[in-house]
Amino acid sequence: MLGFEQFEQAVDMISKTASDGYPPYNVEKVSENKIRITLAVAGFSQEDMQVQIENNQLVIKGKAKSDDDKEYLHRGIAARQFRRAFVLAEGIEVLDAKLENGLLHVDLEQPLQNIAIRSIEIQTSNEKPSTTVIEDKQS
């Protein structure tokens, strides 16, 4: 089964192959089955960004409104458009996206799965086999 380990490896692979580091981001393990991706998106409003799932990828796009009417003496705050894609492992769900203090937080979860422990009775060649569920656990 694919889980967060493969997700984390895919994130590492994407970050190493990405030529553009904009916008910078963090990936943090929030709990045993939850991860948070945080992008630094200073200057972008909620209306300037989109969070979408395309096939097995989480895609975050941003396009700031043009401010051609301003004359900058120095422009150090980047406001160019961006597209960040993260490969999602099978079963990963996007819970929500929140914008606060110039940071976009996207929370992901891998739902806990029930693990059934079964006992298989050993039969002789003349008997019909039977299965008994001993315990049903959350992983």
Side-chain angles (χ1 to χ4, degrees):
M1 298 294 287
L2 297 175
F4 280 137
E5 295 80 22
Q6 288 81 8
F7 177 74
E8 290 169 10
Q9 290 171 357
V11 168
D12 286 343
M13 182 180 68
I14 290 170
S15 66
K16 289 176 184 169
T17 59
S19 60
D20 185 13
Y22 180 76
Y25 67 93
N26 292 335
V27 179
E28 118 185 58
K29 186 173 186 176
V30 177
S31 69
E32 194 60 36
N33 65 325
K34 291 184 180 177
I35 283 183
R36 172 175 281 174
I37 298 173
T38 301
L39 285 85
V41 292
F44 286 86
S45 70
Q46 180 180 354
E47 295 79 27
D48 297 335
M49 294 182 290
Q50 291 180 333
V51 178
Q52 300 174 328
I53 297 174
E54 298 175 8
N55 297 322
N56 66 333
Q57 289 189 343
L58 169 65
V59 178
I60 303 168
K61 300 175 188 175
K63 185 173 184 180
K65 294 178 181 75
S66 107
D67 50 353
D68 296 333
D69 57 333
K70 294 182 182 178
E71 182 181 341
Y72 290 96
L73 299 177
H74 171 76
R75 186 164 185 174
I77 300 173
R80 63 185 190 264
Q81 72 179 28
F82 68 88
R83 182 182 189 277
R84 277 278 186 201
F86 300 89
V87 178
L88 297 177
E90 186 175 319
I92 300 293
E93 296 178 12
V94 178
L95 298 177
D96 60 17
K98 297 177 205 141
L99 180 62
E100 58 184 18
N101 300 324
L103 299 173
L104 176 65
H105 303 287
V106 181
D107 293 322
L108 310 171
E109 177 182 48
Q110 181 177 29
L112 297 174
Q113 298 177 359
N114 288 332
I115 298 176
I117 300 173
R118 298 182 304 147
S119 175
I120 311 299
E121 187 177 335
I122 301 172
Q123 304 288 326
T124 63
S125 60
N126 297 338
E127 296 176 300
K128 185 177 178 181
S130 67
T131 302
T132 306
V133 174
I134 297 174
E135 197 174 343
D136 197 9
K137 295 183 182 179
Q138 292 277 335
S139 66

